[in-house]
Amino acid sequence: MHMSDALISPSVAAGAGVVAVSLIAVAIEVCTRKASTLNPTRREYLFPLMGVLGAFVFAAQMINFTIPGTGSSGHIVGGILLAAILGPWAAFLTLSSVLIIQALIFADGGILALGCNIVNMAAMSCLVAYPIFFRTLVCPNASAARISAASIIASVIALVLGAAALSAETALSGVAALPMRQFLVYMVVIHLVIGVGEGIATAAVLAIVRHYRPDILFENNLSDTKPTVAHRAARVISLFAIAALIIGASFSWVASSKPDGLEWSIEKVAESPTLANPDTNYHRIAAQMQEQTALMPDYDTSLAGILGSGAIILGVFVIAYIFRYQPRR
Amino acid sequence: MSRRLYEALYLIDATEHTARLKTPLAQIDARAKLVVLLTFLLTMLSLPAERLSNLMLFAIYPITMAAAAGIGYGQVLRRSLIIIPFVALIALPNIFYQREPMLEVYGVVITRGWITLLAITLRGILAVQGVVVVIASTGLYGTCRAMQRLGVPHILASQIYLTLRYIRLMVEQALHLQQAVESRLFSRKTLPLTLWARLTGRLLLLSIGRGEAVGRAMASRGFVGQMPQLPYRHTKRWRRRDSTYLVVWCSTLLLLRVLHFAEMIF
């Protein structure tokens, strides 16, 4: 479900980026405060544990399992699993760092689309589905069946919300022409099925961890966040969310107007989007020269442009190949 | 089945290896490279999808960077092709929704949908190529340090740094476990869910055990929950060539965005 750079506009990327950065800022504050309330031994473990569990999620995402009854295979996202061990904010920070590394190593999701990916995958699972659904359904002495049901529900909700957010971001960007309603329906249906698979897998791993290390589950080893921090966090999030909406809306308005800045200015001054060439000797000679030297003067402008760009790229490629850096042997 | 795990190990090693070469691009400050990469992405992705010819010119950046980094462009191209299925799948309906004719080649009318499909796919490929080339010439740790020096919060940078440190160990651990399981699977393509859960659960328990051991080891060396800043002697100084690289590439990319070179020349 990684969003690609190709499908988003810079304005949507900026809006999602602002939301992601503000959430990361809150997560950092919450984790720092949480670490300060822990006893010294556990405080020292928190950040290395987050790093190692991030590496675990990275490795676990590469091991596929058979989805029962479908013949296809899938892998976990790991948000609910991480949140059950580290707590929602620390899990969010861990999953965000995994997403950043995936974008850098595997080019899974783009650099500009990182904000979208952090919101769609890390925030939806760790900050929405886990605290609202998983934590509400699972009490400290919950049965295995209850944990499984909570895992499936939370995973389905996390993936469906993520898919809906991805559809909205794609539609707002206006790059793909697919109508949002249809795209949303496809994405939600597919991710409902994937969510059930993810939920079953998460429940299975949680059952094993609960059997061998019950002490580490459901944030038993971490103290609860103080409500004042949560309130402040909510305030900061709302502030940044509003800022993101305003930035997104204003950028979209600029992006939706057809002429670019130069064309707009010319249109305002000359009442026409293009300027007519002055009828002087110099301009006539220049136009004649251009007609004679242009490689494809009679061709359709767009096609000529495409072929011309291809020729330039080929030229650059040949020059770059000739002058490329070659290590000394 | 273990292909992705091997691939991850190979990519991590290869990235650090190419970043250590004394290539012209590797010697540029990582901050300059990151800023130029962001400018490349912003200028390229802000182009309207119909301007295919202008978009094509942005390929100059990854081609030149690959040559300066001593990486074969074929490798970069191969890595960027993985994006095609996802991007093309979402952009494919453009063919049906955008039917206005855009150009005609020997009597064959090409509609706006085909042009935008090609443009979106090209955007995806070029964006991946830009990232691949910059990361390959900077290395993952170098990128992490550059992010820290560009103002990324200390805890996030430490978190990325620690995750990077342990990815190799965890991937190797996962590979050993998976090989052990595979040798008993008799050529089955994927793991049954119960077996996968046992394998992943075991990996998680090992990770937690390792995390605690790492925490103890770090605490014994004076770690108090924050990664220390790198000593000054280990950080590269900003030089004139970094400024030149930054100014030349940012202005080139902005010019490519603002002026329509392809239509001006041809």
Side-chain angles (χ1 to χ4, degrees):
Chain A
M1 204 170 61
H2 289 83
M3 172 66 121
S4 161
D5 276 344
L7 297 170
I8 54 162
S9 64
S11 50
V12 173
V18 170
V19 176
V21 167
S22 54
L23 288 174
I24 286 173
V26 175
I28 288 170
E29 192 181 336
V30 173
C31 288
T32 315
R33 278 175 185 258
K34 189 177 257 184
S36 65
T37 59
L38 296 172
N39 70 47
T41 327
R42 284 188 171 156
R43 187 189 315 155
E44 286 150 9
Y45 288 172
L46 180 62
F47 292 110
L49 188 63
M50 282 163 67
V52 176
L53 285 180
F56 158 77
V57 167
F58 188 90
Q61 286 188 355
M62 288 175 215
I63 308 172
N64 281 20
F65 56 82
T66 310
I67 298 173
T70 61
S72 61
S73 68
H75 65 78
I76 56 163
V77 175
I80 303 292
L81 193 61
L82 279 178
I85 296 167
L86 294 168
W89 289 102
F92 170 74
L93 205 56
T94 308
L95 205 52
S96 299
S97 59
V98 171
L99 288 170
I100 293 171
I101 292 169
Q102 281 178 335
L104 297 179
I105 299 183
F106 284 119
D108 266 353
I111 298 283
L112 273 194
L114 252 177
C116 295
N117 286 327
I118 288 174
V119 171
N120 300 351
M121 290 199 266
M124 293 302 177
S125 59
C126 303
L127 303 181
V128 180
Y130 177 80
I132 297 175
F133 298 95
F134 192 92
R135 280 264 291 255
T136 316
L137 291 169
V138 174
C139 49
N141 298 318
S143 65
R146 201 182 171 98
I147 294 172
S148 302
S151 300
I152 292 171
I153 291 168
S155 300
V156 167
I157 299 226
L159 281 175
V160 167
L161 285 177
L166 188 142
S167 313
E169 287 151 6
T170 312
L172 280 173
S173 297
V175 177
L178 192 66
M180 186 179 164
R181 190 181 288 178
Q182 277 179 336
F183 188 43
L184 188 68
V185 169
Y186 290 134
M187 287 295 282
V188 166
V189 170
I190 292 167
H191 285 87
L192 263 173
V193 180
I194 299 173
V196 174
E198 158 99 11
I200 295 171
T202 305
V205 178
L206 282 178
I208 286 169
V209 178
R210 191 169 175 256
H211 185 258
Y212 291 102
R213 290 284 304 267
D215 57 307
I216 61 163
L217 273 185
F218 314 130
E219 309 160 68
N220 272 347
N221 53 347
L222 302 172
S223 65
D224 276 325
T225 317
K226 286 178 186 170
T228 48
V229 178
H231 285 144
R232 282 179 61 190
R235 217 165 40 194
V236 174
I237 292 169
S238 351
L239 263 175
F240 275 99
I242 293 164
L245 275 176
I246 293 167
I247 291 171
S250 49
F251 271 98
S252 315
W253 175 75
V254 175
S256 65
S257 58
K258 279 182 180 164
D260 62 20
L262 183 65
E263 288 163 353
W264 181 84
S265 313
I266 291 170
E267 199 171 355
K268 288 284 159 197
V269 175
E271 293 178 351
S272 156
T274 51
L275 286 174
N277 283 336
D279 195 23
T280 62
N281 277 342
Y282 296 116
H283 284 91
R284 269 199 299 275
I285 292 166
Q288 211 175 353
M289 271 175 68
Q290 192 187 15
E291 207 168 289
Q292 281 169 357
T293 52
L295 298 180
M296 288 168 271
D298 299 329
Y299 248 96
D300 180 352
T301 320
S302 315
L303 180 64
I306 291 167
L307 293 175
S309 299
I312 291 173
I313 294 306
L314 191 69
V316 171
F317 181 77
V318 170
I319 295 166
Y321 184 77
I322 294 166
F323 293 105
R324 75 189 187 282
Y325 174 82
Q326 286 175 306
R328 285 179 199 154
R329 293 179 195 282
Chain B
M1 200 157 66
S2 329
R3 195 179 58 85
R4 281 211 82 189
L5 289 167
Y6 277 119
E7 194 184 288
L9 281 182
Y10 168 75
L11 283 177
I12 293 166
D13 289 348
T15 307
E16 291 307 314
H17 173 74
T18 48
R20 263 188 244 119
L21 295 173
K22 298 274 179 212
T23 62
L25 189 61
Q27 284 170 25
I28 299 288
D29 192 288
R31 288 169 292 176
K33 284 188 267 185
L34 282 185
V35 173
V36 171
L37 173 66
L38 279 179
T39 313
F40 165 71
L41 292 172
L42 280 170
T43 47
M44 181 192 63
L45 296 174
S46 64
L47 259 179
E50 294 83 17
R51 293 208 173 132
L52 186 60
S53 50
N54 295 98
L55 193 65
M56 285 165 72
L57 288 180
F58 277 87
I60 290 170
Y61 174 72
I63 291 174
T64 320
M65 291 300 106
I71 308 164
Y73 186 69
Q75 284 178 43
V76 179
L77 183 69
R78 253 200 313 277
R79 278 198 63 194
S80 65
L81 294 181
I82 54 159
I83 197 81
I84 290 181
F86 175 68
V87 171
L89 190 73
I90 292 180
L92 203 62
N94 285 20
I95 301 168
F96 307 106
Y97 289 103
Q98 299 175 334
R99 287 168 180 260
E100 314 92 86
M102 284 288 278
L103 53 102
E104 202 179 315
V105 185
Y106 297 112
V108 179
V109 176
I110 297 172
T111 60
R112 195 167 155 231
W114 281 104
I115 297 283
T116 52
L117 171 68
L118 274 175
I120 293 169
T121 314
L122 188 63
R123 278 156 65 108
I125 290 173
L126 290 180
V128 172
Q129 286 183 358
V131 175
V132 165
V133 171
V134 169
I135 300 303
S137 68
T138 315
L140 295 164
Y141 295 110
T143 310
C144 190
R145 269 184 231 123
M147 281 160 66
Q148 200 173 356
R149 292 178 78 193
L150 279 171
V152 168
H154 206 56
I155 290 185
L156 182 66
S158 307
Q159 187 55 39
I160 298 171
Y161 198 85
L162 281 170
T163 309
L164 274 175
R165 284 252 158 204
Y166 298 108
I167 276 178
R168 205 175 198 295
L169 288 175
M170 283 301 119
V171 171
E172 274 178 1
Q173 192 85 60
L175 203 54
H176 292 156
L177 285 171
Q178 198 169 13
Q179 278 170 344
V181 171
E182 269 177 15
S183 62
R184 293 163 179 82
L185 274 180
F186 304 103
S187 306
R188 276 180 71 165
K189 292 275 179 218
T190 50
L191 298 174
L193 187 61
T194 46
L195 201 55
W196 174 90
R198 259 182 265 162
L199 189 147
T200 314
R202 176 87 188 127
L203 188 64
L204 179 60
L205 294 174
L206 283 170
S207 315
I208 291 163
R210 201 182 279 266
E212 287 168 349
V214 167
R216 277 196 294 274
M218 287 171 77
S220 69
R221 292 196 296 270
F223 179 73
V224 284
Q226 273 198 343
M227 294 294 285
Q229 289 276 4
L230 275 174
Y232 187 70
R233 65 177 184 281
H234 287 169
T235 54
K236 267 188 187 169
R237 259 203 236 157
W238 185 272
R239 294 179 185 184
R240 192 181 288 170
R241 65 176 174 214
D242 303 322
S243 307
T244 313
Y245 171 84
L246 188 73
V247 171
V248 168
W249 270 108
C250 283
S251 25
T252 307
L253 292 165
L254 285 170
L255 284 175
L256 280 179
R257 170 65 186 89
V258 178
L259 303 175
H260 305 148
F261 281 119
E263 284 150 32
M264 280 163 71
I265 301 169
F266 300 97

